[in-house]
Structures are given as C-alpha cells and as structure tokens.
Amino acid sequence: MHRIVVDAMGGDLAPDEIIKGAAEASLSLRGTEIILVGDSSELGRRLPKVRHDGARMRVHHAATFVEMDEKPGEALAAKPDSSIAVAADLVARGEGDALVSAGNTGASVLACARRWKLLPNVRRAALAAVYPTELRRGEKEDPFSLILDVGATIDAEADDLVGFAVMGAVYARLVSKNRRPRVALLSNGTEAGKGPPAIVAAHARLVSATELNFIGNIEGLDIPRGVADVVVTSGFVGNVVLKMLEGVSETVVRLARYAHKEKLAWRIGLMALSSAIEQLKQVTDWQQYGGAPLLGFAHPFIKAHGRSNARAITNAIKVAHKALTGDLCGNIEKGLAELEATRHKATPSPS
Amino acid sequence: MKLPFVDRARRVAQRIGLIDAIPPGLAPGAPAPRHVFRWDLDKTYLRTEFDSVGDLVKSAIENAADKQAFPGAPALLRALHQDEHRICIVSGSPTQMRQVLAAKLALDGVAYDEFVLKNNLKNILRGRFRSLRAQIPYKLPAMLRSRIGATAPSETLFGDDAEADAIVYCLYADLVADRVSLTDLERVLTAARTYDDDAQAILDLARRVPRGDAVRRMFIHLDRRSPPQGFRRFGPRLVPVFNYFQTALVLFGDGVLSARQVLFVALEMLDSGQYERSILANSMQDLMRRGRLTRDIGLRLVDEANEAAASGALSGRDDLPPFERIAEEFRARIRELGSPEPMPFDLEPLDYVRLVDEEHDLRRERRRSGH
C-alpha cells in the first residue's frame, strides 16, 4: 500500500481545499493511505464535513505551518514543528512514501533537501514545472511540457543539466505516458555551439552519451509551441522563464478583460469566441495536472500550485500515486546509472 | 389439534408473500433478554448494490454463496450472540428472498432470533406503490412489534447511510423513551406519506410498546461514504462508522464486547484481504478525531488485546508479527494525533418532520443526479 503524505496547511486555500482534495483522493485511489499533516484539531473538525474514507486517511499533528510569504530558511529554523518539516520528516523516517505540498515552494524544497537523500549519481535536485503548449504529447495527448529546473539549483553545470535531462525524460515517460519524450536544452540559438559553456558541454554529452530523444537546443519562443516535451535549463534561467510565461498569460487575460469593458464590438467578438476560449481553458487547465515534481531525491515530492483548489490537490496526489506505482525514483536511478556507465566507457582509465 | 397441512400451507404463503410472517417473540417461559441487537441487512451486513434495475435483478438472483458480507460483520454478529442477548434482523429485502438470505447467514455462522422481511408482494397487490420504498412506515412498526414481543432494557441498532436508517432508529429510540408524543408521531407519519390505516396501526403499536430509555447506541455504516458530520445532529448515541472494526471499538468502550472479541473482528477483516493493519489503526484514529472514542479507551483496548494475545487469542497466527509490535503501531497512531480539542455535540431536540422532509428532498436529488 502506498502512503502519500500531504502538507494540509500549505497553500493559499489551505486547509479546506487541501482536505477536500485529499478526501476525494481517499475515495478514488484504492490501496493508498493518505497522511494529512497539520493541526489535528482543525483537521479533525473539517474532515468529517466532506465525503472521504476515514480508514484510509490518518492525521499527523503539526503545531505550526510556514506562511506562503515567509523566508524559507528562517521559517524552517524558527518552526521545526511546521507541517512541511514534519511531513518531510515522516517520509525520511519511512513512515510515508511520497510528499505533496501546495505550500511555500522554497520551504518545501529546503525541507526535503535537508532530510532526504539524493539518489545515487544525482549531483543536484531539480524542481520541474509544467507549461501548456500548442502541441500535445504522449498516449494521453498531454498539452503540458515539462521545464526543469525552475529554482532548486540556481547555477547548474553541464553534468547537472545532463542529469536533469535524464530525470525529466523518465518522469515524462511515466506520468505523461510519452514513450520517447523529446528532450531539449534551452539556449539563445538552436546551433550546438550557442550558449554559455555549460550548455555547450551539456549538448555534446547529451548527443554522445545518452539514448535520450535529444533534439538539440531550443529557444524561448519554442517553449509555448511545444517543440520539446522536456525543456532543460538551470534553476536561475528556468525560474525567470516560468515567471515570464505566467506574467504573459496574466497580461493576456487582463487585456481581454479590458477589451470586454472598452468596446461593444470587442465584447461581441469575445463572446463569439467564448466557446473556443472555454475549450482552450479546459485544455490548458493546470488544475488537471495537479503539480510538478522535485526530482533527484530518494522519494517523490509533488509540488502543487500555491493556489491549488481541491481538484488540483486530488490530481497532485494522483501524480504522486503514479510516481510510486511506476517507481519513478527507481527508474531515475537506473537511467542515471546507465549514463554513468556510458561515461566510464567513454573515458578510459589513465592506467 | 394441529394440522401439518395448515402449517405447511402457511409457510408457503409466507414465503411467496401472500401473508405476513409475524416474528414469534419470546418462547413461553423464556427469560426476557438483557440486550437486543437490531440489524438491517442490505448495505449494513451485506454488500448490496441496488442503485439500478440491473443491480436489483442481480441481487434477486444471486445465490447465498455469491452474497458478500462486509468484513468483520459476521464476526461481530457471532460475538454478539450470547446468553440473554437477542439478535433481531429487520430488512427491506422482499420476503421471497428469505431462503437465500437465511442460507447466507447460516454460511457465515450467524444465528438470530428474529428475521423480518418486507412483504412487497402484498404492497403491490394492494396497489400501495408508495410503500415499496417507504422506510418509516415499514421499519418503525416492525421494531415496535419486536419490542412488544421481547422487551429488553438495552438495545443497539445497526443500519446504514443508504436510506433513512438514522431517522427511523432515532425516532424509535425517542418513542420508546417517551421523548416523542403520539401527536408528534402522527405528524411524522403524515410527513412520511404513510397510508391512513398503516398510520393507525403504528400509533396503536406505539401506545402499547413498553417504555424505557433502552436504545443506548446506534451505528450507521457509511456505505455511501456520507460525510460523518451530517450525523452529529443525532447526538453521541449515533455513531457513523466506516467499517466494523470501528463498531467493535465503540462496543468495547460501551462494555458490550471484550478486547478478545474485538481482536476476532479485526482478524476477520485482515483475513478478508481488504484491510491491512494500518487501515485498522487509522480507523481507531478516525473515531478519536471525531470524538467518538477517547484516548483512554483506545489505550485500554490495546493493553487488554495485548493480554488476550498473550493468553493465546492469536495462537496459530504465524502470519502476524508479535502482538507487542502491533500494539505499538496502534499506540503510535494515537500519539501522532496529538491532543486535539474535544468536539462538543450541539444537542437540540430532533425535529422529525423536518428530517423526513429533508430525506425526501435528498432522495429526489439523488434520483435526479443518478447517484
């Protein structure tokens, strides 16, 4: 039986929406135990108000929680009994198999990094994010591509980027049911020699030392097109790109609202497009994806969006369940071991 | 002089539903029971689906061996069948299913003293189609008649969340405890759209039923996984449960079952393959979270079960780890809950007319939404 630990107090809509999402997951995921971590009085009062399976849910008390806007390092130091710290501890001690949180991203990543072991051959962990794209992929016609890293490793070296590529490909194979995901490096040009030294070196290694479906470099404009299924970059660049993409989406929505208010003709035009917009919204609805993983640790961690509602949390728990069922960590370990073996073959010992 | 032919004809007529089978009550000279346990069958004891016509047909043609009891329910019923205890089954299944249901109970090793089924053929022949689904007009008189036949100072009732069991059981409990007047009962029966002559018969039974605050505990099996909070208005006497380990735990707290008997219920659930030890530990924690079991009773059960295991209750169970380890798992689950604030019950007298109206609305809503 899989045991999925859920930080019940993390997220803009916590604890109500987290509880509802976890409750729904307790009904739909048979053979899974959900461990809600948070204030037991609060959880005990709220959980009975929703449909759930009380025998497949358990509550682990945590007295405090990290606010969304707190500084991660300081918050974790001041609140060792916070829900995210207790949740990460439970998994580290083997009392849980995977973790889901919609709380403070920095604190969640730090809590895991301080308590969990990295998988063999993983140099640095990578936080992934998903982004809706024009092209779809895999058996499930998944509209989301994976971008990693988006902030766990600010400055990545070539070997880190190669590791990210392997981990991202394993995840896409497992979760998006994409048998041969297209992997690309994000750079400022598609030519192999373009970009900073780490990108150039990573390109060379990905071409020569892996069996990945590596399609080379892509530029920023290729991300929303969906040219690649797995976009590999350093945490610094990934974070800037992700925030910019989110900013552009929000601006487009604001402009549409402005147009709706400003002129009757524009309003009629938008109304005529409303069903298409609704369809687009459904296709690119991030809540259906649930969350994105922190890859490289010995346990799966799914980071749900801070604004996650119940549906997004249920789906994040389902992603965690899928990661456990498909042995995500074991497959990453295997992929990286193969990479390491190839590297040893390519560089004969100095004797 | 008794004519065997008459007896046989009566039995056949009862089996096909031409005449009602009246529960025999106590045998002449038999001592009055100390505790009566009233059980529903479908969705309480038996895993039954009757949400569609297909489900109904399947349920009707299934043989006894194909019928599935909820894990732990047979062990619990066996544990409850003791001297001075009386097991009464009141089911909404049609009388024509008596043989197969009786065979199922026999297969499970469950003994009972009364077994009442619904005579739907009679309802159809009389054109009383409202009675086919009616809950209060069927179950309430059946329970009152049973209590008149064999009165006990204590009663425990077992039902489910599929229909109106919580309302019927509380109404019965309050009626025999003299908390509901006959005038109020008449209003409830009107709200429940009871046929006039049936209502008069129920009022007559209510006048005759021996009074006493007998119903100590009611269990609602959450087959539909209804939110437990919805049952808090019925007070602490009614406990919604997700499984029969939870029922056994509450009955242990009530002093009805011993720790050894709770162990047997737990073992049957583990043996079913549908439960693991951690699920049972979660079930205990769930009751504590909802304020239905105290930490002290939980810890006492663990200690007494440990003693029972040491005295041979688990002999031959090599598939289980040493019981001390199991006990520690349960203690850990209690500890990890911390010290949650108690949840007091907001006790107001129940307005049964409103409850019946709400139940009708809910049923209509379920029909519309197809659930």
Side-chain angles (χ1 to χ4, degrees), chain A residues 5 21 24 29-30 72 74 84 109 120 137 153 163 165 180 182 202 235 243 273 283 289 300 310 334 342:
Chain A
V5 181
E24 175 54 38
L29 290 177
R30 304 305 292 173
E74 288 172 18
I84 186 63
V109 172
R137 51 194 58 79
T153 302
R180 205 158 154 68
R182 292 158 298 162
K243 297 278 162 65
L273 283 172
V283 168
Y289 206 89
K334 204 170 131 199
T342 320

Side-chain angles (χ1 to χ4, degrees), chain B residues 152-225:
Chain B
S154 298
E155 292 193 20
T156 302
L157 317 179
F158 301 81
D160 59 72
D161 62 344
E163 289 176 309
D165 283 353
I167 301 172
V168 183
Y169 287 179
C170 285
L171 178 61
Y172 169 77
D174 285 344
L175 193 63
V176 298
D178 233 355
R179 284 188 290 264
V180 169
S181 68
L182 291 178
T183 320
D184 286 343
L185 176 63
E186 200 170 356
R187 287 176 51 232
V188 178
L189 294 173
T190 308
R193 302 171 68 208
T194 313
Y195 290 101
D196 286 345
D197 55 342
D198 287 343
Q200 284 312 313
I202 295 170
L203 286 166
D204 180 50
L205 288 168
R207 265 182 221 108
R208 291 194 290 130
V209 73
R211 296 295 195 263
D213 198 357
V215 181
R216 304 287 161 85
R217 191 63 85 186
M218 291 169 262
F219 293 99
I220 293 295
H221 179 239
L222 296 171
D223 183 60
R224 300 179 76 105
R225 298 289 181 255

Side-chain angles (χ1 to χ4, degrees), chain A residues 1 3 27 30-35 39-41 43-45 47-62 90 95, chain B residues 223-230 242-243 246 274-276 278-280 282-283 285-286 289-290 333 335-343:
Chain A
M1 185 168 62
R3 297 158 304 167
L27 295 172
R30 304 305 292 173
T32 301
E33 181 181 66
I34 294 172
I35 307 171
D39 182 327
S40 62
S41 296
L43 302 178
R45 253 195 311 276
L47 192 53
K49 292 180 184 169
V50 292
R51 282 188 78 231
H52 70 286
D53 187 340
R56 294 189 184 275
M57 297 193 82
R58 79 190 227 216
V59 169
H60 195 106
H61 180 67
L90 278 176
E95 290 184 42
Chain B
D223 183 60
R224 300 179 76 105
R225 298 289 181 255
S226 306
Q229 183 76 16
F242 287 100
N243 55 53
Q246 292 192 321
Q274 295 170 45
Y275 289 86
E276 293 178 30
S278 65
I279 298 292
L280 299 184
N282 291 346
S283 302
Q285 200 208 46
D286 170 67
R289 286 199 304 265
R290 294 195 270 131
R333 196 69 95 249
R335 271 198 307 274
E336 72 185 32
L337 192 55
S339 310
E341 293 161 18
M343 286 193 291

